């Protein structure tokens, strides 16, 4: 039995632990604060990159695998835990894109359902949409996952596994080395030894790798969102225009996001962002002018070059594995990223070519 310590209990850390535990590994998950309360809790949960055609093939490969995997994962978690992650297929309309032709060409190359639709059809399908939009493209199969419920379900699944231990409020301060091999981590509560250490600490991953003299190009990128509560049938589809989106949950909550701010580790919601998000919300869906904002928060995304995550073993430090740097697409890419990590750690045939995500040559 392989003992693995997973540093970070967001969606990536929890799902990494879940995949390893399913394979029979003994797993200890370490979280500096509370499970899933950072980026995983704060995001929107669209099961697609916002503009999938603008990303590299490396991101696309993870996204497509994950999109196909999510419905089954949600069913399994609901069956095992009674907690429904609410993978909600609504489709997504992009409005007045500058690069619409590129988007449609990408869809043809990838064999994905993404079509130009008459704007009148978009207004017919989404009657609450604001006026003045001229063009629309539509991807009917896109879902969103209710990320706080996904985290809750994963936590419950891990809690039921006898080979998993979960420690909250247990910040990792460094790594245990024997020669160059990583043999565990140091925490405020003492040392935890492990055959493998998985670093899945999101925006904090770079700081931890810095204790080994390694420079991981992952930095915190602040995102603010607001939440409305409407009737359950208020918004039948996700909509996106001018870089801002509206996401309907099954119970009528509507998420509006998000900002993109380079402000270090500051997660303070600001009045300026609130006003900007409200203006975007009312332009997209004018009826929200009369609705109450029931939530406003900020999270820290793990920004990385081109949004390509780091997945694999650090060649200079055997025993240390990375699953971090997913930028804006952590929830989208999580199932494939964690499956790939488990495949590589356990010597299985990887689901996709692991080369683009390998840390070798990408650490500074």
């Amino acid at each position: 039995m392989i003992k693995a310590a997973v540093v970070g209990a967001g969606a990536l850390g929890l799902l990494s632990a879940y995949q390893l535990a399913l394979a029979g590994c003994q797993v200890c998950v370490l979280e500096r604060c509370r499970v899933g309360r950072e980026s995983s809790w704060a995001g929107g949960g669209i099961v697609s990159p916002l503009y999938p055609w603008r990303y590299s093939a490396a991101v696309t490969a993870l996204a497509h695998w994950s999109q196909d995997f999510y419905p089954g994962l949600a069913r399994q978690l609901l069956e095992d835990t009674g907690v429904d992650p609410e993978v909600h297929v609504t489709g997504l309309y992009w409005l007045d894109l500058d690069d619409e032709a590129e988007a449609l060409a990408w869809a043809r190359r990838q064999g994905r359902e993404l079509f130009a639709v008459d704007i009148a059809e978009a207004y017919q399908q989404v009657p609450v949409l604001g006026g003045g939009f001229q063009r629309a493209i539509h991807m009917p199969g896109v879902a969103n996952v209710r990320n706080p419920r996904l985290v809750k379900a994963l936590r419950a699944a891990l809690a039921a596994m006898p080979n998993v231990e979960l420690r909250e409020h247990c910040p990792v301060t460094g790594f245990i080395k024997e020669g160059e091999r990583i043999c565990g981590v140091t925490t405020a509560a003492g040392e935890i030894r492990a055959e493998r250490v998985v670093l899945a600490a999101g925006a904090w991953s770079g700081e931890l790798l810095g204790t080994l003299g390694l420079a991981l190009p992952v930095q915190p990128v602040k995102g603010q969102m607001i939440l409305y509560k409407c009737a359950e049938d208020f918004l039948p589809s996700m909509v996106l225009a001018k870089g801002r989106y509206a996401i309907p949950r099954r119970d009528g909550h509507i998420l509006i996001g998000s900002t993109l701010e380079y402000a270090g580790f500051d997660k303070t919601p600001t009045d300026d962002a609130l006003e900007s998000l409200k203006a975007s919300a009312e332009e997209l869906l004018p009826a929200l002018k009369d609705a109450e904002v029931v939530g406003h928060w900020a999270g820290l995304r793990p920004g990385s070059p081109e949004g390509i995550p780091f997945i694999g073993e650090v060649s200079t430090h055997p025993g240390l594995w990375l699953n971090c740097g997913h930028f804006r697409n952590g929830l989208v890419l999580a199932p494939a990223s964690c499956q790939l990590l488990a495949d590589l750690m356990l010597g299985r045939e990887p689901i996709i070519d692991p080369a683009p995500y390998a840390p070798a040559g990408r650490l500074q």
Side-chain angles (χ1 to χ4, degrees):
M1 181 180 289
I2 297 171
K3 182 173 183 182
V6 177
V7 182
L12 273 298
L14 293 173
L15 197 50
S16 295
Y18 181 69
Q19 295 289 5
L20 292 170
L22 284 176
C25 300
Q26 181 186 349
V27 184
C28 180
V29 184
L30 304 162
E31 169 54 44
R32 56 187 287 277
C33 293
R34 292 165 58 200
V35 166
R37 294 295 296 185
E38 295 291 352
S39 184
S40 299
W41 180 86
I46 302 175
V47 186
S48 170
L50 288 184
Y51 304 97
W53 54 91
R54 297 179 187 173
Y55 285 93
S56 69
V59 172
T60 297
L62 292 171
H64 286 179
W65 195 95
S66 295
Q67 286 165 329
D68 294 340
F69 188 79
Y70 251 119
L73 174 65
R75 286 192 297 271
Q76 189 65 53
L77 288 171
L78 175 59
E79 181 180 322
D80 291 347
T81 69
V83 179
D84 187 357
E86 294 187 13
V87 174
H88 184 30
V89 179
T90 64
L92 172 58
Y93 287 92
W94 287 267
L95 305 168
D96 290 354
L97 279 171
D98 291 335
D99 56 352
E100 181 177 305
E102 289 88 339
L104 295 171
W106 171 88
R108 286 192 296 271
R109 289 195 306 272
Q110 295 290 331
R112 308 304 281 191
E113 286 193 311
L114 175 64
F115 313 105
V117 296
D118 190 274
I119 194 65
E121 180 184 330
Y123 279 106
Q124 183 178 7
Q125 296 299 319
V126 189
V128 291
L129 195 58
F133 294 109
Q134 302 295 314
R135 303 184 320 281
I137 62 173
H138 182 225
M139 187 179 279
V142 182
N144 65 77
V145 60
R146 197 156 182 173
N147 33 312
R149 293 184 64 87
L150 174 66
V151 165
K152 185 178 180 181
L154 285 168
R155 179 184 184 147
L158 291 173
M161 293 174 138
N163 53 331
V164 177
E165 179 187 4
L166 179 57
R167 299 189 190 182
E168 291 181 288
H169 304 289
C170 186
V172 170
T173 55
F175 300 93
I176 302 169
K177 288 175 65 179
E178 292 180 0
E180 291 305 311
R181 175 167 285 279
I182 301 302
C183 302
V185 295
T186 56
T187 77
E191 292 188 347
I192 296 171
R193 300 189 76 85
E195 293 176 25
R196 312 281 177 88
V197 173
V198 177
L199 183 57
W204 288 265
S205 299
E207 287 193 335
L208 278 169
L209 269 194
T211 66
L212 294 172
L214 298 173
L216 177 74
V218 170
Q219 61 177 318
V221 183
K222 183 177 178 179
Q224 300 189 50
M225 304 186 71
I226 58 176
L227 182 71
Y228 294 89
K229 180 67 169 73
C230 302
E232 289 183 16
D233 60 352
F234 171 74
L235 182 62
S237 173
M238 295 181 282
V239 291
L240 192 158
K242 298 180 181 176
R244 296 280 170 85
Y245 51 77
I247 304 171
R249 301 304 198 202
R250 286 180 184 166
D251 63 1
H253 278 99
I254 308 293
L255 278 168
I256 304 291
S258 70
T259 65
L260 200 64
E261 306 166 56
Y262 291 83
F265 286 93
D266 176 20
K267 291 191 302 175
T268 310
T270 64
D271 290 340
D272 285 349
L274 175 62
E275 293 309 311
S276 174
L277 289 165
K278 285 174 68 176
S280 294
E282 292 166 20
E283 183 178 6
L284 269 173
L285 308 167
L288 292 180
K289 187 166 187 174
D290 300 319
E292 179 187 359
V293 175
V294 297
H296 173 208
W297 62 85
L300 298 176
R301 310 175 186 90
S304 59
E306 298 182 65
I308 300 174
F310 295 80
I311 306 168
E313 190 171 23
V314 179
S315 58
T316 57
H317 292 75
L320 177 59
W321 295 74
L322 304 185
N323 193 5
C324 54
H326 293 71
F327 203 1
R328 305 189 77 172
N329 296 311
L331 287 158
V332 186
L333 307 182
S337 297
C338 298
Q339 185 74 46
L340 178 60
L341 176 85
D343 289 345
L344 295 172
M345 286 183 71
L346 300 173
R348 303 185 304 213
E349 181 70 23
I351 52 165
I352 57 174
D353 178 9
Y357 321 101
R362 300 179 63 210
L363 301 182
Q364 298 170 348

Coordinates of all heavy atoms in Angstrom, one line a residue, residues 317-353:
H317 N 13.3 16.1 -7.5 CA 13.0 15.8 -6.1 C 12.0 14.6 -6.2 O 10.8 14.8 -6.0 CB 12.3 17.0 -5.4 CG 13.3 18.1 -5.2 ND1 13.7 19.0 -6.2 CD2 13.9 18.5 -4.0 CE1 14.5 19.8 -5.6 NE2 14.6 19.6 -4.3
P318 N 12.5 13.4 -6.4 CA 11.7 12.2 -6.5 C 10.8 12.1 -5.3 O 11.2 12.4 -4.1 CB 12.7 11.0 -6.6 CG 13.9 11.6 -7.1 CD 14.0 13.0 -6.5
G319 N 9.5 11.6 -5.5 CA 8.6 11.5 -4.4 C 7.7 12.7 -4.3 O 6.7 12.7 -3.6
L320 N 8.0 13.8 -5.0 CA 7.2 15.0 -4.9 C 6.4 15.2 -6.2 O 7.0 15.2 -7.3 CB 8.0 16.3 -4.7 CG 7.3 17.6 -4.7 CD1 6.2 17.7 -3.7 CD2 8.3 18.8 -4.6
W321 N 5.1 15.2 -6.1 CA 4.2 15.3 -7.3 C 3.4 16.6 -7.3 O 3.0 17.0 -6.2 CB 3.3 14.1 -7.3 CG 4.0 12.8 -7.5 CD1 4.8 12.1 -6.6 CD2 4.1 12.0 -8.7 NE1 5.3 11.0 -7.1 CE2 4.9 10.9 -8.4 CE3 3.5 12.1 -9.9 CZ2 5.2 9.9 -9.4 CZ3 3.8 11.1 -10.9 CH2 4.6 10.0 -10.6
L322 N 3.2 17.1 -8.4 CA 2.4 18.4 -8.6 C 1.0 18.1 -9.2 O 0.9 17.3 -10.1 CB 3.1 19.4 -9.4 CG 4.5 19.8 -8.9 CD1 5.1 20.9 -9.8 CD2 4.6 20.2 -7.5
N323 N 0.0 18.8 -8.7 CA -1.3 18.9 -9.4 C -1.8 20.2 -9.1 O -2.7 20.4 -8.3 CB -2.2 17.8 -8.9 CG -3.4 17.6 -9.8 OD1 -3.5 18.3 -10.9 ND2 -4.4 16.8 -9.4
C324 N -1.3 21.2 -9.8 CA -1.6 22.6 -9.5 C -1.5 23.5 -10.7 O -1.0 23.1 -11.7 CB -0.7 23.1 -8.3 SG 1.0 22.9 -8.6
G325 N -1.9 24.8 -10.5 CA -1.7 25.8 -11.6 C -2.8 25.7 -12.6 O -2.5 26.0 -13.8
H326 N -4.0 25.5 -12.3 CA -5.1 25.3 -13.2 C -5.8 26.6 -13.6 O -6.7 26.7 -14.4 CB -6.2 24.3 -12.7 CG -5.7 22.9 -12.6 ND1 -4.7 22.5 -11.6 CD2 -6.0 21.8 -13.3 CE1 -4.5 21.2 -11.8 NE2 -5.2 20.8 -12.8
F327 N -5.3 27.7 -13.0 CA -5.8 29.1 -13.3 C -7.3 29.2 -13.2 O -7.9 28.9 -12.1 CB -5.3 29.6 -14.6 CG -5.2 31.1 -14.7 CD1 -5.6 31.9 -13.7 CD2 -4.8 31.7 -15.9 CE1 -5.6 33.3 -13.8 CE2 -4.7 33.1 -16.0 CZ -5.1 33.9 -15.0
R328 N -8.0 29.5 -14.3 CA -9.5 29.7 -14.3 C -10.3 28.5 -14.5 O -11.5 28.5 -14.4 CB -9.9 30.7 -15.3 CG -9.1 32.0 -15.3 CD -9.7 33.1 -16.2 NE -11.0 33.6 -15.7 CZ -11.6 34.7 -16.3 NH1 -11.2 35.2 -17.3 NH2 -12.7 35.1 -15.7
N329 N -9.6 27.3 -14.6 CA -10.3 26.1 -15.1 C -10.1 24.9 -14.1 O -10.2 23.8 -14.6 CB -9.8 25.7 -16.5 CG -10.1 26.8 -17.5 OD1 -11.3 27.2 -17.6 ND2 -9.2 27.2 -18.3
G330 N -9.9 25.2 -12.8 CA -9.7 24.1 -11.9 C -10.8 23.1 -11.9 O -10.6 21.9 -11.9
L331 N -12.1 23.6 -11.8 CA -13.2 22.7 -11.7 C -13.4 22.0 -13.0 O -13.8 20.8 -13.1 CB -14.5 23.5 -11.2 CG -14.4 23.9 -9.8 CD1 -15.4 25.0 -9.5 CD2 -14.8 22.7 -8.9
V332 N -13.2 22.7 -14.1 CA -13.4 22.1 -15.4 C -12.4 21.0 -15.6 O -12.8 19.9 -16.1 CB -13.1 23.2 -16.6 CG1 -13.4 22.6 -17.9 CG2 -13.8 24.4 -16.3
L333 N -11.1 21.2 -15.2 CA -10.1 20.2 -15.6 C -9.8 19.2 -14.5 O -9.0 18.3 -14.7 CB -8.8 21.0 -15.8 CG -8.8 22.1 -16.9 CD1 -7.4 22.7 -17.0 CD2 -9.4 21.6 -18.2
A334 N -10.5 19.3 -13.3 CA -10.2 18.5 -12.2 C -10.3 17.0 -12.4 O -9.3 16.2 -12.1 CB -11.0 18.9 -11.0
P335 N -11.4 16.5 -13.0 CA -11.4 15.0 -13.1 C -10.3 14.4 -14.0 O -9.7 13.4 -13.6 CB -12.8 14.8 -13.8 CG -13.6 16.0 -13.4 CD -12.7 17.1 -13.3
A336 N -10.0 15.0 -15.1 CA -8.9 14.5 -15.9 C -7.6 14.7 -15.3 O -6.7 13.8 -15.3 CB -8.9 15.2 -17.3
S337 N -7.3 15.9 -14.6 CA -6.1 16.1 -14.0 C -5.8 15.1 -12.9 O -4.7 14.6 -12.8 CB -6.1 17.5 -13.4 OG -6.2 18.5 -14.4
C338 N -6.8 14.8 -12.1 CA -6.6 13.9 -11.0 C -6.5 12.4 -11.5 O -5.7 11.6 -10.9 CB -7.7 14.0 -10.0 SG -7.8 15.7 -9.3
Q339 N -7.2 12.1 -12.5 CA -7.1 10.7 -13.1 C -5.7 10.6 -13.7 O -5.0 9.5 -13.5 CB -8.1 10.5 -14.2 CG -8.1 9.1 -14.8 CD -8.7 8.1 -13.8 OE1 -9.8 8.4 -13.3 NE2 -8.1 7.0 -13.7
L340 N -5.2 11.6 -14.4 CA -3.8 11.5 -15.0 C -2.8 11.4 -13.9 O -1.8 10.6 -14.0 CB -3.6 12.8 -15.8 CG -2.2 12.9 -16.5 CD1 -1.9 11.7 -17.4 CD2 -2.1 14.2 -17.2
L341 N -2.9 12.2 -12.8 CA -2.0 12.1 -11.7 C -1.9 10.7 -11.2 O -0.9 10.2 -10.9 CB -2.4 13.1 -10.6 CG -1.5 13.1 -9.4 CD1 -0.2 13.9 -9.5 CD2 -2.2 13.5 -8.1
A342 N -3.1 10.1 -10.9 CA -3.2 8.8 -10.3 C -2.6 7.8 -11.3 O -1.8 6.9 -10.9 CB -4.6 8.4 -10.0
D343 N -2.9 7.9 -12.6 CA -2.3 7.0 -13.6 C -0.7 7.0 -13.5 O -0.1 6.0 -13.5 CB -2.7 7.4 -15.0 CG -4.2 7.1 -15.2 OD1 -4.8 6.3 -14.5 OD2 -4.7 7.6 -16.2
L344 N -0.2 8.2 -13.4 CA 1.3 8.4 -13.4 C 1.9 7.9 -12.1 O 2.9 7.2 -12.1 CB 1.7 9.8 -13.7 CG 1.3 10.4 -15.0 CD1 1.5 11.9 -15.0 CD2 2.0 9.8 -16.1
M345 N 1.2 8.2 -11.0 CA 1.8 7.7 -9.7 C 1.7 6.2 -9.6 O 2.6 5.6 -8.9 CB 1.0 8.4 -8.6 CG 1.3 9.9 -8.4 SD 0.4 10.6 -7.0 CE 1.2 9.8 -5.6
L346 N 0.7 5.6 -10.2 CA 0.5 4.2 -10.0 C 1.0 3.3 -11.1 O 0.8 2.1 -11.2 CB -1.0 3.9 -9.7 CG -1.6 4.6 -8.5 CD1 -3.1 4.4 -8.5 CD2 -1.0 4.1 -7.2
G347 N 1.7 4.0 -12.1 CA 2.3 3.2 -13.2 C 1.2 2.7 -14.2 O 1.5 1.7 -14.9
R348 N 0.1 3.3 -14.3 CA -0.9 2.9 -15.2 C -0.8 3.6 -16.5 O -0.1 4.6 -16.6 CB -2.3 3.1 -14.6 CG -2.6 2.5 -13.3 CD -4.0 2.6 -12.8 NE -4.5 4.0 -12.7 CZ -5.3 4.4 -11.8 NH1 -5.9 3.6 -10.9 NH2 -5.7 5.7 -11.8
E349 N -1.5 3.1 -17.6 CA -1.5 3.8 -18.9 C -2.2 5.1 -18.7 O -3.4 5.1 -18.3 CB -2.2 2.9 -19.9 CG -2.3 3.5 -21.3 CD -0.9 3.5 -22.0 OE1 0.0 2.7 -21.6 OE2 -0.8 4.3 -22.9
P350 N -1.6 6.2 -19.0 CA -2.3 7.5 -18.8 C -3.4 7.8 -19.7 O -3.3 7.3 -20.9 CB -1.1 8.5 -18.9 CG -0.1 7.9 -19.8 CD -0.2 6.4 -19.5
I351 N -4.4 8.4 -19.2 CA -5.6 8.7 -20.1 C -5.3 9.6 -21.3 O -5.9 9.4 -22.3 CB -6.7 9.4 -19.2 CG1 -6.2 10.6 -18.5 CG2 -7.4 8.3 -18.3 CD1 -7.3 11.5 -17.9
I352 N -4.3 10.5 -21.1 CA -3.9 11.3 -22.2 C -2.4 11.5 -22.1 O -1.8 11.1 -21.1 CB -4.6 12.7 -22.2 CG1 -4.3 13.4 -20.9 CG2 -6.1 12.6 -22.5 CD1 -4.8 14.9 -20.8
D353 N -1.8 12.0 -23.2 CA -0.4 12.3 -23.2 C 0.0 13.2 -22.0 O -0.4 14.4 -22.0 CB 0.0 12.9 -24.5 CG 1.5 13.2 -24.6 OD1 2.3 12.8 -23.7 OD2 1.9 13.9 -25.6

